[in-house]
Amino acid sequence: MVSQQQVFFLLTTSCYVAAVFMLWTSWLLKPFKLWTTLMHEFSHALAAWLVCGEVTGIEVHQNEGGLTHWKTSPEKMRWARYIVLPAGYLGSALWSFCIIISCGNLFWARVMALALIVVLLICLIYAIFGQTEEQRGPLIGLSIGFGSILCLLVVLSFLNSSTSHNVWDVLLVASLLFVGVLNALYATLDVYYDTVSRTNERSDAYQFSQICPCCFPKCVGLVWFLLASIILILAGYVYMQMQANAKDDVSWMMYLPGPVAVAFAFAVRGYDCIGKRTYSPIGIAESQA
């Protein structure tokens, strides 16, 4: 028998996916796409720290590209790149996995929100003081904007924790799930469009192929795309399994965010159709380095 938590997940996730695709080229999704770039670049930074490297800068560009500045000793550089280069796409997919899974429990949703706030704080420090080649503004705006929203939701969720099914808990979980779903979709599609459907010399896959003998950029991209897709599917499977025996105490408010997102997307599309605006097919911006 399907639990209410599973129904909530299937309904809300399906609605979010539909809303995201309807608004894919809308400026309304721009901040969230830049968010996925931030997670991509921060994943590079985490991998660089993992191999004992030094991160000197993190950039997020207005065109949805980005750059992570890092360095390590010459003798470590070659093998370190085997870890750092794939970490952008695959690390972003893993972040999506963790965010989606955390939405199954309010405690872990709060923990994930706090973890993301720490990530944004680190990125803000790098945005202000770190090395950069282009723009500081987008990363500063993202860090402050999303950080403020998450802080507000977490604080209000804690302050109203004595109330069963309070609206702030719903908003916190719904927001995290939306970010997780969007990040998963964008990270997966970005791998395909940026590394499989075309060869981009600035892409991580192309750079990886240069240090890996007998590997073509598109082959590398295909492997990463399959891995990212598996992670996305696994996130849904694990969530459903975790909630298989969950108590059916889901508030009716939990079912609202998904349909509201779809209704909002329809309204925006309708407004643009009336205004004779056109939407181009789904496309991915320039490579995230």
Side-chain angles (χ1 to χ4, degrees), residues 6-19:
Q6 290 175 320
V7 172
F8 155 74
F9 178 76
L10 292 173
L11 172 66
T12 307
T13 301
S14 299
C15 289
Y16 281 168
V17 170

Side-chain angles (χ1 to χ4, degrees), residues 42-143:
F42 188 76
S43 296
H44 279 309
L46 282 177
W49 288 321
L50 181 64
V51 298
C52 300
E54 178 186 355
V55 177
T56 59
I58 299 175
E59 297 182 39
V60 172
H61 304 152
Q62 194 66 32
N63 66 354
E64 298 166 28
L67 186 63
T68 299
H69 301 274
W70 67 283
K71 58 185 179 181
T72 188
S73 60
E75 57 270 17
K76 290 182 180 179
M77 179 57 74
R78 182 174 178 84
W79 66 263
R81 295 182 72 193
Y82 282 105
I83 298 175
V84 176
L85 286 174
Y89 293 117
L90 300 183
S92 186
L94 286 172
W95 274 106
S96 300
F97 177 91
C98 294
I99 293 172
I100 291 173
I101 295 305
S102 72
C103 294
N105 180 279
L106 180 59
F107 171 78
W108 288 112
R110 289 170 175 171
V111 170
M112 177 54 65
L114 291 173
L116 292 175
I117 290 170
V118 172
V119 169
L120 291 167
L121 179 60
I122 294 172
C123 289
L124 178 61
I125 294 172
Y126 274 105
I128 297 174
F129 302 106
Q131 177 184 350
T132 183
E133 293 182 357
E134 293 189 28
Q135 308 158 321
R136 296 184 186 272
L139 185 54
I140 293 175
L142 281 173
S143 301

Side-chain angles (χ1 to χ4, degrees), residues 155-174:
V155 169
L156 291 174
S157 176
F158 274 113
L159 290 178
N160 294 274
S161 57
S162 60
T163 305
S164 178
H165 303 306
N166 74 78
V167 66
W168 301 111
D169 292 344
V170 174
L171 288 176
L172 176 62
V173 172

Side-chain angles (χ1 to χ4, degrees), residues 266-289:
F266 268 116
V268 172
R269 289 297 299 268
Y271 172 80
D272 285 325
C273 288
I274 293 174
K276 296 182 179 180
R277 301 180 184 180
T278 58
Y279 276 75
S280 60
I282 290 176
I284 300 297
E286 185 179 344
S287 165
Q288 297 176 351

